[in-house]
Amino acid sequence: MTPLALIIQARGGHVEGSDRALDQGRNVERFDFLRGRGVLLHPQDGSGISRASQILVTVEETVPDVQAARRVGAPVITRARLLAQLFNHAGLSIGVAGTSGKSTTVGMIGWILHCAGRSPTIMNGADMKNFIDLDSPFASARVGDGDVFVSSGRE
């Protein structure tokens, strides 16, 4: 949830969300970080979906949020489709695929592009040490102002 939420928010979107890890009390610091960035978090019970103007981004069809979205007429899009839209919209898209090492490779490519002054947007499955700082202790995404988008094939 974190990387897509940060990217969409940085591009002007209003972000709300739910996650079973939040309901289970896991990753507390990460969810506190998102709250601190203005992301409104809800239980994953459908209560956060209340209007047709919301767009639900989901990984699974079986979560109560999907049924709530259908009930109020809110569009439902998969996480993969949203990522594909972001990827395809970029001027230069760099995708990393494979069975292992994707997150490390995405981070390395992103860091090289950053050092080269390209200011890439990076969507990663892991926090990238080179981008962690006081303002971004959870650096699984970096929102750049360039036209480059870097992501692995399975985010």
Side-chain angles (χ1 to χ4, degrees), residues 1 4-5 18 21 41 52 87 91 96 110 132 150:
M1 172 182 189
L4 273 177
S18 68
L41 298 174
F87 188 84
V96 177
I132 292 174
V150 183

Side-chain angles (χ1 to χ4, degrees), residues 5-153:
L6 294 175
I7 292 168
I8 295 301
Q9 187 181 58
R11 293 182 176 194
H14 173 77
V15 179
E16 300 180 36
S18 68
D19 192 294
R20 83 170 43 100
L22 173 67
D23 294 349
Q24 296 168 350
R26 297 184 290 128
N27 302 327
V28 174
E29 296 86 7
R30 187 174 294 272
F31 290 116
D32 287 344
F33 168 73
L34 287 172
R35 282 187 191 98
R37 294 281 178 119
V39 175
L40 182 59
L41 298 174
H42 304 281
Q44 198 173 59
D45 61 4
S47 63
I49 307 295
S50 59
R51 4 181 244 290
S53 61
Q54 291 174 290
I55 300 170
L56 175 65
V57 179
T58 188
V59 176
E60 316 172 38
E61 285 285 318
T62 58
V63 296
D65 293 349
V66 173
Q67 288 76 36
R70 292 204 171 105
R71 200 167 35 255
V72 300
V76 177
I77 184 173
T78 65
R79 187 173 186 252
R81 182 164 305 277
L82 175 59
L83 179 56
Q85 289 175 355
L86 293 169
F87 188 84
N88 292 332
H89 183 72
L92 173 62
S93 303
I94 300 172
V96 177
T99 56
S100 62
K102 293 182 298 295
S103 295
T104 301
T105 305
V106 165
M108 288 171 41
I109 292 169
W111 184 249
I112 291 166
L113 289 166
H114 170 75
C115 290
R118 293 298 302 265
S119 190
T121 294
I122 309 164
M123 167 82 181
N124 208 342
D127 291 326
M128 299 172 286
K129 284 186 169 186
N130 289 353
F131 292 107
I132 292 174
D133 61 28
L134 292 175
D135 292 329
S136 294
F138 301 102
S140 56
R142 180 183 183 282
V143 180
D145 55 14
D147 67 342
V148 181
F149 191 93
V150 183
S151 180
S152 72

